[in-house]
Amino acid sequence: MPDKSVIIGDMQAILPMIVLWVTASVIALGDVSLWKRGNKAINPLLAIVGVLVAFKFLVNTPRVASGATAFAKSLAIDPLGQISGIALLVTAVLSILLAWTYLKNRGLDHAEYYVLLLLSLTGAMMMASANDLIVLFLGLEILSFGLYVMAGFARTEERSEEASVKYFLLGAFGSAFLLYGIALVYGATQSTNLEQIRATLSSSSGAPGPMLLAGIGLLIVGLGFKAAIVPFHQWTPDVYEGAPTAATAYMAGAAKIGAFAAMLRVFGALTPVAASWLPAIQILAIVTMVFGNLLAVTQTNVKRLLAYSSIAHAGYLLVAIAALPSETVNGIASNAPDLAVGGALFYLFAYVFMTLGAFGVLVYLSSKGRDVQHVNDLRGLAKREPAAAYAMMFFMLSLGGIPPTMGFMGKWQIFYAAVTGQQIMLAIVMALTSAMAVYYYLRVVWVMCFEETTEAAAPEPVARTGAMAAIMLAAAATIVFGIAPNLLNAITGMGP
Amino acid sequence: MISPSIFVFAPLASAALFTALMVVRSRNVIHAGYWLLPCLLAVAGLFGSLEAHFFVVVQILIYAGAILILILFALMLTRDVMDPKQRQTTKFAPLAVPLCIFVGLGGALMMARAPWPAIQAAAPGPAEQTKALGLGLIGDYALPFEVASLILLAALIGAICLAKAEKEPAAPEPVIDLRGEIELEESVSAGAADGH
């Protein structure tokens, strides 16, 4: 029988996830019994309250700094889990606000959307704190199951259905790779626990065996699918385009944070055998940055453009992963790993604010029977909807990495970590491809500001308070944290 | 050196592979469901050859017994799940065969050469195994064990969400229908009146 304090500690570690899961259950049950015919606004409101309560418990988790673990070491209680958890909750609040507007305007206002969103959020948080490969896999599956259905939520639309099926089939394929990788890593190290794996690897001498190499390779493929890394990215544009815009926004944020938090953990544990996987990560990072940006240039659909942009951003985040093993540079202890983790987390925050903001503008402009996603739909937006247009401008500038926005600060931090970790080649490619990216982001701004609208009448007024709130929150964060990045570190307890 | 266990393993493994292939090759989905039965039983046999007694029983009872029946029931209740005349391969199929053989042989070679530190000399007896499994599920692996139920919950809600009928616009329709019928009746009676 374990000690009482151990049980309490374990419960405190998963309290935010329990809150999310309970909220999901309350919405699911309440919607079919208590407020069956009542106001549908209660579902998103409850969801937001649940996320805020989870946030409160997450920031107050005790023993974060001491590197404690919970549930027989299967869950880590550390800053990485806490901060990526905060990023996930921020994603959730923004996407619930967006969904509130979008689902209502598209006549899809069902409680199940919020239930699935909260459940998949629980999985993503589990994944971000996982200290064991089995927990990581289960978290990933919970995250994905929610996303598969959310992608197909507009069931009457063929595109949405296609997105859902495509995502499900390729996601299941990716999961199989991950699972096989976990099995091989277990076979080689006798453990699925990341701490234990790291200890085994650093105590064993000699080159890693073929089984471990194959296992690591399959882990890279499996996680690469979820993080949309080239060449495992083919599903991304189709799914981003076909899914309801609010679901795309959530998917873009939550899947990226979950996958990269997991990657930071897994590759952190594999640091002792870094020589075997670092070249692969370097090549993938370069290919992802180059192809993500090149393919984005020709896109005329904003959702597809943002999909390729999200692939490119996955490439920048891989640069941070590549800087992880640089614990010593030229024999001197280096702080590159800490810089890489801090930079990646800051970048994930920036990514969430600017990407969800950009999707938010599309949600804001969409109305019943009119789903805004083509660049031409944005023509002359600065005159029609100045507030949305200026917010979109900030998001595009931030995505392009132009100061003084958050996107610039995030890129700078990863760039700095890469240079400190002696990944000069990656830093150069990152700077060049970022410059290339400015072109297609600025084209959107150009279309909004300098091209004449082709639409005759103003769109009918629709309920869009939620989307406006989300856009304003995201725009404010993009600028404020771009000017004062330390503020974010102070709020989340992040950074040195 | 070839250990005698290969004579147990090889037939079971090839049976499992062959039947699994038939599951995906069958154009009739009910046949695919039936092919699943020998496949699951062969896997149970593999568990048996590893002296994992508990898993043999679970595999037969739960998978071959319960889940397979459930799958067949679900197929029976669904119409037009699959068209037996439709092609199931794409133009990349000829490429896939050598690729699969290459990856499979490469993997097998790698496995055969690699050291297996996780292997134990002798498996514990059935009673100890089941006890260790039970303790593991509420001890070291309590979190994964419980979290797996969340996956089922998400899958359940998601499946209902995708399968439930779309609500039709409720109130106005019967009114319109009624009016239409009234108008029709009126015009019919008017026409009849004209005729007379």
Side-chain angles (χ1 to χ4, degrees):
Chain A
M1 187 72 197
D3 198 5
K4 206 173 170 186
S5 65
V6 174
I7 297 176
I8 293 174
D10 285 356
M11 285 302 147
Q12 280 169 336
I14 58 164
L15 200 52
M17 300 165 213
I18 292 180
V19 169
L20 293 174
W21 159 68
V22 168
T23 315
S25 310
V26 167
I27 295 176
L29 294 175
D31 189 69
V32 293
S33 54
L34 294 179
W35 52 89
K36 216 174 189 169
R37 300 185 187 286
N39 191 353
K40 289 287 179 194
I42 193 167
N43 296 324
L45 277 176
L46 260 179
I48 288 181
V49 169
V51 172
L52 291 179
V53 173
F55 179 81
K56 177 90 179 78
F57 285 126
L58 183 65
V59 289
N60 288 341
T61 311
R63 301 185 295 146
V64 166
S66 60
T69 56
F71 286 100
K73 299 198 171 178
S74 52
L75 214 61
I77 309 174
D78 61 357
L80 172 55
Q82 195 185 32
I83 295 166
S84 36
I86 294 175
L88 282 167
L89 294 178
V90 169
T91 311
V93 169
L94 293 178
S95 17
I96 292 168
L97 286 172
L98 293 181
W100 193 349
T101 296
Y102 188 82
L103 297 183
K104 202 170 180 182
N105 289 341
R106 300 293 308 280
L108 297 168
D109 204 358
H110 306 307
E112 291 86 351
Y113 186 89
Y114 303 103
V115 176
L116 290 167
L117 190 149
L118 289 173
L119 281 178
S120 80
L121 185 67
T122 316
M125 294 199 46
M126 192 73 70
M127 199 179 166
S129 309
N131 199 30
D132 190 294
L133 289 172
I134 297 177
V135 177
L136 192 150
F137 177 75
L138 289 172
L140 176 69
E141 285 303 288
I142 301 175
L143 167 69
S144 305
F145 271 49
L147 291 180
Y148 298 149
V149 181
M150 283 162 77
F153 209 76
R155 287 185 306 138
T156 47
E157 275 176 48
E158 218 167 89
R159 273 189 322 177
S160 178
E161 225 171 290
E162 183 196 325
S164 178
V165 171
K166 222 172 224 175
Y167 194 29
F168 173 64
L169 289 178
L170 286 173
F173 196 50
S175 296
F177 275 100
L178 186 67
L179 206 53
Y180 217 139
I182 292 174
L184 289 183
V185 169
Y186 173 75
T189 62
Q190 301 190 55
S191 179
T192 54
N193 187 288
L194 289 172
E195 258 175 55
Q196 191 62 43
I197 290 173
R198 190 181 171 129
T200 311
L201 292 180
S202 49
S203 65
S204 69
S205 55
M211 186 153 42
L212 183 64
L213 292 183
I216 295 173
L218 291 171
L219 285 183
I220 294 177
V221 176
L223 290 172
F225 257 111
K226 298 291 162 184
I229 289 166
V230 178
F232 318 115
H233 69 285
Q234 272 98 347
W235 58 272
T236 319
D238 291 346
V239 174
Y240 272 40
E241 186 191 353
T245 312
T248 312
Y250 174 71
M251 184 193 303
K256 202 69 94 193
I257 300 170
F260 273 98
M263 276 190 161
L264 286 171
R265 275 190 197 287
V266 170
F267 291 107
L270 294 174
T271 305
V273 290
S276 59
W277 55 262
L278 189 55
I281 290 287
Q282 284 169 329
I283 292 169
L284 286 178
I286 291 175
V287 172
T288 307
M289 284 189 286
V290 170
F291 279 91
N293 283 313
L294 268 183
L295 292 169
V297 169
T298 54
Q299 301 304 320
T300 51
N301 182 314
V302 183
K303 278 165 93 177
R304 283 187 90 84
L305 185 139
L306 285 170
Y308 283 109
S309 126
S310 108
I311 295 169
H313 288 284
Y316 305 144
L317 283 158
L318 270 185
V319 174
I321 304 271
L324 268 186
S326 309
E327 280 168 342
T328 53
V329 174
N330 301 331
I332 306 159
S334 148
N335 62 344
D338 292 339
L339 287 175
V341 173
L345 286 174
F346 189 93
Y347 202 90
L348 283 171
F349 269 101
Y351 174 80
V352 163
F353 284 126
M354 54 209 192
T355 304
L356 267 81
F359 280 121
V361 173
L362 298 184
V363 168
Y364 177 77
L365 296 173
S366 297
S367 55
K368 198 171 178 68
R370 183 168 172 279
D371 201 17
V372 170
Q373 33 180 280
H374 202 273
V375 176
N376 287 345
D377 294 339
L378 298 177
R379 273 187 183 162
L381 193 67
K383 278 185 197 139
R384 283 184 288 143
E385 301 272 359
Y390 287 120
M392 189 68 157
M393 193 176 78
F394 278 119
F395 300 135
M396 287 296 141
L397 292 179
S398 180
L399 282 164
I402 291 166
T405 56
M406 210 178 168
F408 168 74
M409 287 314 301
K411 277 210 181 91
W412 165 250
Q413 291 196 21
I414 290 184
F415 186 81
Y416 184 62
V419 173
T420 313
Q422 298 279 302
Q423 301 290 336
I424 307 296
M425 180 66 191
L426 290 183
I428 293 172
V429 175
M430 184 179 171
L432 289 178
T433 50
S434 306
M436 189 162 81
V438 172
Y439 164 74
Y440 59 81
Y441 291 126
L442 282 188
R443 203 186 52 196
V444 175
V445 176
W446 172 271
V447 168
M448 285 191 309
C449 296
F450 300 111
E451 283 189 15
E452 286 302 317
T453 176
T454 47
E455 259 169 69
E460 57 191 292
V462 281
R464 46 205 216 182
T465 330
M468 199 40 167
I471 296 171
M472 286 303 140
L473 274 174
T478 311
I479 299 160
V480 170
F481 296 137
I483 295 168
N486 288 333
L487 201 59
L488 182 69
N489 299 353
I491 291 171
T492 58
M494 189 164 77
Chain B
M1 198 192 83
I2 295 173
S3 82
S5 65
I6 191 84
F7 297 109
V8 182
F9 173 78
L12 283 171
S14 2
L17 274 179
F18 173 73
T19 49
L21 195 65
M22 289 311 286
V23 172
V24 288
R25 286 280 303 164
S26 303
R27 291 192 178 185
N28 186 326
V29 74
I30 301 282
H31 292 181
Y34 283 131
W35 273 113
L36 209 52
L37 181 65
C39 180
L40 293 172
L41 289 177
V43 173
L46 284 177
F47 282 138
S49 73
L50 292 168
E51 292 180 48
H53 310 89
F54 186 76
F55 287 111
V56 178
V57 177
V58 167
Q59 177 78 12
I60 293 176
L61 274 183
I62 308 289
Y63 279 88
I67 292 184
L68 189 64
I69 302 276
L70 209 63
I71 291 176
L72 288 175
F73 259 112
L75 290 177
M76 268 165 54
L77 296 175
T78 337
R79 270 180 306 167
D80 301 332
V81 155
M82 208 173 205
D83 180 8
K85 291 186 191 101
Q86 203 175 18
R87 273 172 61 90
Q88 285 187 24
T89 47
T90 65
K91 57 183 173 178
F92 296 113
L95 258 174
V97 175
L99 188 73
C100 286
I101 291 174
F102 174 74
V103 171
L105 281 183
L109 266 179
M110 185 194 81
M111 300 278 189
R113 286 168 158 210
W116 286 84
I119 286 181
Q120 287 175 11
E128 288 93 276
Q129 259 184 42
T130 315
K131 191 179 169 191
L133 179 75
L135 286 176
L137 287 184
I138 57 164
D140 284 358
Y141 295 99
L143 185 69
F145 180 60
E146 295 296 332
V147 164
S149 62
L150 270 187
I151 296 191
L152 295 181
L153 181 64
L156 212 66
I157 295 176
I160 292 170
C161 192
L162 287 180
K164 79 173 177 188
E166 197 64 52
K167 257 183 237 157
E168 281 137 39
E173 274 193 26
V175 180
I176 292 168
D177 281 352
L178 211 61
R179 265 184 206 156
E181 270 169 35
I182 292 168
E183 275 168 17
L184 198 71
E185 273 172 20
E186 276 172 357
S187 69
V188 166
S189 58
D194 283 348
H196 277 286

